[in-house]
């Protein structure tokens, strides 16, 4: 059975990006999904010196997860226009283990923020980078003004909801 792995590029216990990734997973029609928390995969800050010591156990575990799914839903937190440090670290370690991080599988890449741009800077950066890191097909969605557009576990702005549902439908067709 095909299954999707969903997670936020954040370690915040109140991550709005994890809420968005979970919501996207809940809107899959034909495929089941699992949501993980990056806090369960803590690892030292990547460096060549650390890598010479060997790959930490959580790097191995995270990479095994990536092998076992048919596609990915990732919602990136934006910190000063870039990836959150914890996500960047996991991504760096993962790419050292397997440069083809996304395993030639589809990726629904999203971002949200409390602001009106909805994480568009990190979304653009991720789109550029991940397409070279094994995202076979990349679908994207940005949710601006999270606190205004997301209530009670769902997107309440109909236009944005329809936009996400179209991306989810196209994503599912690519699996």
């Amino acid at each position: 059975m095909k299954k999707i792995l969903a997670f936020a590029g954040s370690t915040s216990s109140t991550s709005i990006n994890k809420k968005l990734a979970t919501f996207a997973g809940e809107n899959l029609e034909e495929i089941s999904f699992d949501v993980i928390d990056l806090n369960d995969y803590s690892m030292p800050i990547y460096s060549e010196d650390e890598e010479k010591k060997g790959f930490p156990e959580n790097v191995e575990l995270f990479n095994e997860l990536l092998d076992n799914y048919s596609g990915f839903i990732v919602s990136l937190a934006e910190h000063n226009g870039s990836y959150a440090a914890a996500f960047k670290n996991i991504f760096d370690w993962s790419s050292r283990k397997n440069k083809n991080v996304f395993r030639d599988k589809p990726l629904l890449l999203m971002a949200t923020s409390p602001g009106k741009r909805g994480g568009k800077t990190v979304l653009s950066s991720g789109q550029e980078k991940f397409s070279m890191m094994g995202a076979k097909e990349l679908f994207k969605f940005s949710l601006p003004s999270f606190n205004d557009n997301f209530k009670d576990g769902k997107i309440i702005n109909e236009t944005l909801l329809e936009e996400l549902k179209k991306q989810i439908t196209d994503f599912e067709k690519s699996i």
Side-chain angles (χ1 to χ4, degrees):
M1 177 179 190
K2 295 180 179 182
K3 192 177 257 192
I4 300 302
L5 179 65
F7 61 92
S10 169
T11 54
S12 170
S13 64
T14 59
S15 171
I16 60 177
N17 280 282
K18 187 172 183 183
K19 290 174 184 176
L20 180 59
T22 301
F23 178 73
E26 290 168 349
N27 278 272
L28 292 167
E29 301 218 357
E30 305 291 325
I31 302 170
S32 63
F33 73 103
D34 291 327
V35 178
I36 61 166
D37 189 317
L38 293 186
N39 286 305
D40 295 334
Y41 299 92
S42 72
M43 51 192 74
I45 295 173
Y46 176 79
S47 72
E48 289 179 4
D49 293 335
E50 286 293 326
E51 185 178 356
K52 286 176 186 173
K53 297 176 189 176
F55 287 93
E57 181 181 2
N58 279 340
V59 173
E60 301 286 355
L61 292 172
F62 188 77
N63 268 278
E64 287 174 21
L65 272 179
L66 298 176
D67 289 333
N68 294 320
Y69 287 88
S70 302
F72 309 97
I73 295 173
V74 178
S75 190
L76 297 172
E78 184 173 274
H79 292 188
N80 296 318
S82 189
Y83 311 116
F87 173 79
K88 176 74 166 90
N89 190 51
I90 287 174
F91 186 73
D92 287 344
W93 274 109
S94 296
S95 70
R96 297 300 294 170
K97 188 73 181 157
N98 184 340
K99 266 194 114 97
N100 193 18
V101 175
F102 295 104
R103 313 302 200 259
D104 294 321
K105 297 173 184 175
L107 170 64
L108 173 55
L109 182 62
M110 304 182 299
T112 189
S113 73
K116 292 180 181 177
R117 295 200 68 239
K120 283 190 177 181
T121 302
V122 74
L123 188 63
S124 177
S125 179
Q127 180 180 8
E128 181 181 327
K129 186 69 176 169
F130 301 161
S131 62
M132 296 182 292
M133 304 298 280
K136 177 182 86 170
E137 291 185 70
L138 199 144
F139 305 88
K140 67 178 185 171
F141 175 76
S142 170
L143 179 64
S145 305
F146 180 85
N147 297 319
D148 296 331
N149 290 314
F150 196 94
K151 305 267 188 216
D152 301 319
K154 62 185 177 186
I155 295 174
I156 59 170
N157 178 301
E158 287 300 319
T159 302
L160 292 168
L161 179 59
E162 288 307 312
E163 183 182 332
L164 175 59
K165 285 186 175 184
K166 181 188 180 326
Q167 293 300 312
I168 290 170
T169 298
D170 292 346
F171 171 68
E172 276 191 285
K173 287 177 184 175
S174 74
I175 305 277

